[in-house]
Amino acid sequence: MKTNTLDFDAQALREKILDLAMRGKLVPQDPNDEPASVLLKKIKAEKEQLIKEKKIKKSKPLAPITDDEKPFDIPDSWEWVRLGDVGEIISGGTPKTSEKSYWENGNIPWITPAIMSDTQDDLIFNNKQIKFINKLGLEKSSAHLILKNSLVVSSRAPIGYVNIVPFDYTTNQGCKSVSLYSNTAKEFVYFALKNAVPDMIKRASGTTFKEISGTKFGQTIIPLPPLEEQSRIAAKIAQLFALLRKVESSTQQYAKLQTLLKSKVLDLAMRGKLVEQDPHDEPASALLEKIKIDTNQRIEIQKIKKIKFAKHSYDDQIKYSIPDTWVWTRIGDILYKLTDGVHQRPNYTNEGVPFLSVKDMSQGTIDFSDCKYISLEDHEKIYPRCNSEYGDVLLSKVGTTGVPAIVETKEIFDLFVSVALLKFNHKMINQGFLRYLIMSPIVQQQVSINTRGVGNKNWVLRDIAGTLIPLPPKEQQNKIANMLSKLLFLI
């Protein structure tokens, strides 16, 4: 666990706890406990009595467990068993859905994998949206009535939801149940089943949906400790899992607070309230005139197209008070070039020039680790349109929209249409400030308003250019960028 950031993998920790528990390494063994071999004899005697009383059917003997099947060593007082050794394996069924008489006034709970999905992380099944069948539906289908405190496991779509059911119930054919013989702690078997899910999936069959049959489910191998130790292990796992849930909840709350705090700091910065104002700074209005002159010269010399702006009606509604030396303007006014990557996807190669899409910069930094590559020939055709250089700013515009990243590499690369390139005079605009400005609430609000489409959403170039922004003097930009860098690092 990384205590400095509260980043941790809760699921990996749960798996490790289960693994230690099933190896007998979570709680100490007690030499006074009755060994599991004696427990198995009692279970066998109980099973034989139930068969004699015709409460359960006699089943085929399960194959002995070979040494090759045992995945790890367990304490001497434990035993390896198959699920069918410690409980009756029961499959489910579905009454004909078109026959209303099987469902009307139903009072027998009917569990399915879909119903279990809402309670998959709980020890006890507690979904109140459960469906019910009636006695006729039970009689006219392959469903079976299963006694309370049995364990239900989803056996397909997906394999591995597990619950203890505190009432009598039945299931559809997508579930398998274990009705335990009395000398076994159901809570321990619950955790043992959770730990055995990967093995079940490995032994399942099917293409579209993997499914483990009732026979293979009953053959599942679990370790069986002495009865007293089963209870101690289950209690310890439950305690640790509860602690993990608290940590997860705290981490999520911390992350929300962290996001809110970052947003608030960025908002204060873009209102001129984060650093002290200097009335002697050259006003942003003069800076804007210099940028305009510089842009016109570049357009004339470099034959760059003029940036086109979308007009928005909400400007007056989102403006707020800013210092006298600042000015309201638009993103397009401080750029000399705004474009996006190539619209036609080129042929990829195993090596060559890196070709980046939104996935390679959606975290706010440029990441070449999983990028595509294109040939030098294709690069030479593409690059003049979107010639990213050191110090420029990239901006995600398709899918994940509104995420900026500064180009902090001198490596040449090309861009797909999902990424926009913002080019500006670095002597007049601080690229760190521009990045933080785009991250701030005033811009992100407009990103949300202007992102178009339903599926793969798009923040089009005209809307990017027309985004309303507060612009401070250059000296203020430098101070703000420096202060935000320190504060956001601390947050």
Side-chain angles (χ1 to χ4, degrees):
M1 179 174 175
K2 303 175 184 177
T3 54
N4 60 323
T5 61
L6 294 184
D7 288 338
F8 76 109
D9 188 338
Q11 184 55 31
L13 282 173
R14 288 188 182 93
E15 291 170 2
K16 185 62 177 177
I17 289 167
L18 287 176
D19 181 64
L20 290 171
M22 298 306 134
R23 293 173 185 265
K25 296 180 178 181
L26 194 64
V27 300
Q29 275 76 54
D30 186 340
N32 296 314
D33 287 344
E34 185 179 71
S37 57
V38 177
L39 173 62
L40 276 177
K41 290 179 182 178
K42 292 180 179 179
I43 290 173
K44 183 178 179 182
E46 180 185 349
K47 183 178 180 181
E48 289 173 351
Q49 183 61 33
L50 290 171
I51 293 171
K52 185 177 179 180
E53 295 173 359
K54 296 184 179 181
K55 290 182 178 179
I56 63 171
K57 292 181 179 179
K58 187 174 183 179
S59 56
K60 290 182 180 179
L62 293 167
I65 299 171
T66 65
D67 288 339
D68 290 340
E69 289 181 281
K70 299 172 183 176
F72 45 79
D73 293 332
I74 54 176
D76 293 339
S77 59
W78 293 30
E79 295 288 339
W80 283 106
V81 297
R82 299 189 189 277
L83 277 182
D85 291 327
V86 295
E88 182 185 9
I89 308 302
I90 307 169
S91 296
T94 303
K96 194 173 182 179
T97 54
S98 60
E99 184 54 65
K100 292 183 179 180
S101 63
Y102 297 163
W103 301 85
E104 287 176 338
N105 301 316
N107 60 356
I108 304 172
W110 184 70
I111 297 175
T112 68
I115 291 292
M116 291 182 71
S117 65
D118 290 335
T119 189
Q120 59 182 284
D121 296 322
D122 299 322
L123 175 71
I124 305 298
F125 180 89
N126 61 1
N127 191 337
K128 295 179 181 178
Q129 304 302 315
I130 195 168
K131 294 183 178 180
F132 294 85
I133 63 174
N134 57 33
K135 186 177 179 180
L136 183 62
L138 180 65
E139 293 172 350
K140 296 294 184 179
S141 70
S142 56
H144 296 86
L145 186 64
I146 304 161
L147 297 179
K148 67 179 182 179
N149 295 325
S150 296
L151 293 103
V152 62
V153 182
S154 62
S155 54
R156 72 176 183 192
I159 297 170
Y161 297 157
V162 187
N163 289 124
I164 296 171
V165 186
F167 45 76
D168 293 351
Y169 68 100
T170 187
T171 76
N172 77 345
Q173 55 270 44
C175 296
K176 303 292 181 286
S177 293
V178 188
S179 187
L180 295 171
Y181 304 123
S182 60
N183 290 296
T184 314
K186 57 184 179 298
E187 293 83 4
F188 173 82
V189 178
Y190 165 85
F191 289 119
L193 285 170
K194 296 284 278 188
N195 190 63
V197 168
D199 170 64
M200 293 183 204
I201 294 173
K202 191 185 299 183
R203 293 183 294 113
S205 57
T207 51
T208 306
F209 293 110
K210 288 279 188 180
E211 179 174 11
I212 185 164
S213 67
T215 299
K216 288 186 176 180
F217 178 71
Q219 292 169 350
T220 300
I221 297 169
I222 63 169
L224 188 72
L227 185 59
E228 294 82 359
E229 191 173 349
Q230 291 178 36
S231 298
R232 294 198 299 270
I233 290 172
K236 189 64 176 179
I237 296 174
Q239 179 190 13
L240 292 174
F241 278 17
L243 180 61
L244 268 179
R245 282 194 294 273
K246 287 183 180 179
V247 175
E248 277 184 298
S249 177
S250 297
T251 303
Q252 291 164 2
Q253 291 173 12
Y254 173 80
K256 289 179 181 177
L257 179 61
Q258 193 178 43
T259 300
L260 287 172
L261 191 53
K262 285 180 179 179
S263 179
K264 185 61 179 177
V265 169
L266 287 166
D267 186 50
L268 288 172
M270 300 311 155
R271 293 174 182 267
K273 297 181 179 181
L274 193 64
V275 300
E276 189 176 351
Q277 304 300 308
D278 187 341
H280 298 104
D281 287 341
E282 181 183 64
S285 56
L287 173 63
L288 207 53
E289 285 299 318
K290 290 181 179 179
I291 292 173
K292 185 176 180 181
I293 293 170
D294 178 74
T295 299
N296 288 336
Q297 288 176 346
R298 290 176 185 271
I299 289 173
E300 185 175 344
I301 296 170
Q302 300 177 21
K303 306 299 180 184
I304 303 170
K305 291 182 179 179
K306 285 188 176 182
I307 296 173
K308 296 180 179 180
F309 295 73
K311 293 181 179 180
H312 302 132
S313 60
Y314 52 74
D315 289 357
D316 291 337
Q317 297 173 2
I318 65 173
K319 281 184 179 179
Y320 46 72
S321 177
I322 54 176
D324 293 339
T325 55
W326 293 35
V327 66
W328 282 103
T329 185
R330 301 184 186 280
I331 284 182
D333 289 326
I334 64 173
L335 310 176
Y336 65 78
K337 183 174 182 179
L338 174 62
T339 186
D340 52 13
V342 63
H343 288 222
Q344 187 69 34
R345 193 185 300 273
N347 293 321
Y348 298 138
T349 57
N350 292 329
E351 56 184 21
V353 180
F355 183 76
L356 307 185
S357 65
V358 70
K359 74 175 179 63
D360 303 308
M361 53 79 56
S362 62
Q363 298 302 312
T365 56
I366 298 172
D367 182 6
F368 292 98
S369 64
D370 191 36
C371 72
K372 305 293 185 182
Y373 293 89
I374 62 173
S375 67
L376 183 60
E377 183 181 4
D378 280 342
H379 160 72
E380 290 173 348
K381 296 175 185 177
I382 293 170
Y383 193 68
R385 167 190 169 85
C386 198
N387 56 326
S388 55
E389 298 170 298
Y390 186 88
D392 291 342
V393 171
L394 304 184
L395 183 58
S396 62
K397 61 178 285 285
V398 176
T400 301
T401 56
V403 179
I406 298 174
V407 179
E408 296 179 304
T409 176
K410 293 185 178 180
E411 182 173 356
I412 298 298
F413 58 89
D414 293 298
L415 296 169
F416 192 41
V417 64
S418 56
V419 181
L421 172 65
L422 283 60
K423 298 185 77 71
F424 49 93
N425 188 320
H426 300 163
K427 293 180 180 179
M428 299 180 182
I429 298 295
N430 181 300
Q431 61 261 55
F433 170 80
L434 179 56
R435 175 173 175 265
Y436 291 131
L437 173 61
I438 294 169
M439 292 166 59
S440 71
I442 182 64
V443 172
Q444 290 299 313
Q445 180 185 0
Q446 295 173 78
V447 174
S448 179
I449 293 170
N450 293 318
T451 297
R452 306 182 184 189
V454 179
N456 213 18
K457 295 185 176 182
N458 187 9
W459 192 23
V460 300
L461 293 178
R462 289 189 179 193
D463 284 327
I464 294 173
T467 300
L468 191 68
I469 58 169
L471 181 68
K474 178 64 189 305
E475 292 80 2
Q476 278 284 306
Q477 294 177 35
N478 297 340
K479 292 177 183 177
I480 290 171
N482 184 48
M483 181 61 76
L484 283 173
S485 177
K486 293 176 181 178
L487 289 177
L488 295 182
F489 174 79
L490 290 173
I491 294 172

